[in-house]
Amino acid sequence: MKIINLIENTKGENPCLIEHGLSFYIETGNHKLLVDTGASDAFLNNAKILGVDLTEVDTVILSHGHYDHAGGILSFLEQNQTATVYMQQSAGDKYYHKSTTEERYIGIDPQIMESKQLHCVEGNHCIDNELFLFSGIKERKLWPSGNRVLKVKREDKFVQDEFAHEQYLVMEEKGKRVLISGCAHNGILNILEEYERIYGGAPDVVISGFHLMKKSEYSHEDVEMIRRISMELKERSNTRFYTGHCTGEIPFQIMHEMMGEQLVYVHSGDTIEC
């Protein structure tokens, strides 16, 4: 299984562009796929630099309905008229960053919903024997505090986003399972517990942002939560974790101190060996 990061927030050892966004290109035995498409068409430029031919992609997975994961879909579809885009039906709702000082639309471009290549699903969905999507996380154990300012607009009212639109991809090949989540808004521990309920054990590899990034200083409570998450991830000793994007530099440092080489940061243009 070949996994290449096409864009992320931080620069790696290559000339790839960076942005607050996320996109992965993956080759399995039967598929060439994308998980998310960044915030803009910048990932298309990086694909050329990295020698990735996006016209050969057959499957696109949108992890959730935020612009920094779906911003490049329309540009991609101009180049590729055959790939199927899978997303949760509710990913097309109106999502906002709403605080006392800011109201900003962070949802996807409504034109995406008009694409003939779009395949909307509701809940879990088996694509084939290699690819499986699951969603519907209800637990709130160590739920990321940054979620509190993320809202969905319904009938001109803002309500808390419960992230029903977030879905997770499981790829299975040669007896190995890889779990990919975009931002883990529902909490990486809750996602893993649902995965373990479905499969009866932990995945071999997890690739996910952890949504722990903050613009303000990290409080004692923030650091304690990061440490608690790290401890529980570390207990899954046979699982290797790759992270980036919305995890944040300080949280990654804290987590890496506790988890060591079990946790790896993925920069823009990096390749993950599975």
Side-chain angles (χ1 to χ4, degrees), residues 59-62 84-88 119 121 125 127 133 167:
T59 303
V60 179
I61 308 296
L62 177 62
T84 301
V85 180
Y86 291 88
M87 68 177 228
Q88 290 290 312
H119 184 87
V121 301
H125 182 75
I127 297 175
L133 299 168
Q167 62 181 0

Side-chain angles (χ1 to χ4, degrees), residues 177-218:
R177 292 194 183 108
V178 177
L179 168 63
I180 298 189
S181 164
C183 285
H185 283 283
N186 276 308
I188 189 60
L189 297 178
N190 301 318
I191 295 163
L192 280 169
E193 287 179 5
E194 179 64 11
Y195 172 96
E196 290 159 4
R197 186 192 68 77
I198 295 170
Y199 288 98
D204 297 285
V205 175
V206 173
I207 303 170
S208 179
F210 297 146
H211 200 60
L212 299 170
M213 179 185 291
K214 288 184 67 176
K215 293 181 180 179
S216 58
E217 291 186 9
Y218 288 83

Side-chain angles (χ1 to χ4, degrees), residues 218-225:
Y218 288 83
S219 66
H220 173 76
E221 290 76 15
D222 292 330
V223 172
E224 182 59 27
M225 184 178 78

Side-chain angles (χ1 to χ4, degrees), residues 77-201:
L77 294 178
E78 290 178 0
Q79 296 188 8
N80 183 317
Q81 287 86 47
T82 58
T84 301
V85 180
Y86 291 88
M87 68 177 228
Q88 290 290 312
Q89 179 69 49
S90 57
D93 290 350
K94 299 176 181 178
Y95 297 104
Y96 285 80
H97 181 285
K98 180 77 167 64
S99 66
T100 55
T101 59
E102 183 180 12
E103 179 181 315
R104 176 167 54 93
Y105 179 72
I106 59 171
I108 69 175
D109 189 321
Q111 291 185 62
I112 294 171
M113 303 301 294
E114 301 172 9
S115 172
K116 294 180 180 179
Q117 293 170 245
L118 181 63
H119 184 87
C120 289
V121 301
E122 294 188 56
N124 297 359
H125 182 75
C126 181
I127 297 175
D128 58 23
N129 62 351
E130 279 191 348
L131 308 178
F132 177 74
L133 299 168
F134 71 94
S135 61
I137 307 299
K138 301 297 184 183
E139 295 298 320
R140 288 295 177 259
K141 178 181 180 181
L142 298 178
W143 207 55
S145 60
N147 286 340
R148 295 183 187 127
V149 296
L150 300 179
K151 311 293 184 181
V152 57
K153 196 171 188 179
R154 296 197 177 105
E155 298 179 355
D156 295 324
K157 292 183 180 180
F158 290 103
V159 297
Q160 177 64 55
D161 188 356
E162 298 291 343
F163 298 99
H165 58 106
E166 190 171 71
Q167 62 181 0
Y168 319 99
L169 172 66
V170 181
M171 302 182 295
E172 188 166 359
E173 187 176 73
K174 297 180 180 177
K176 179 178 287 188
R177 292 194 183 108
V178 177
L179 168 63
I180 298 189
S181 164
C183 285
H185 283 283
N186 276 308
I188 189 60
L189 297 178
N190 301 318
I191 295 163
L192 280 169
E193 287 179 5
E194 179 64 11
Y195 172 96
E196 290 159 4
R197 186 192 68 77
I198 295 170
Y199 288 98

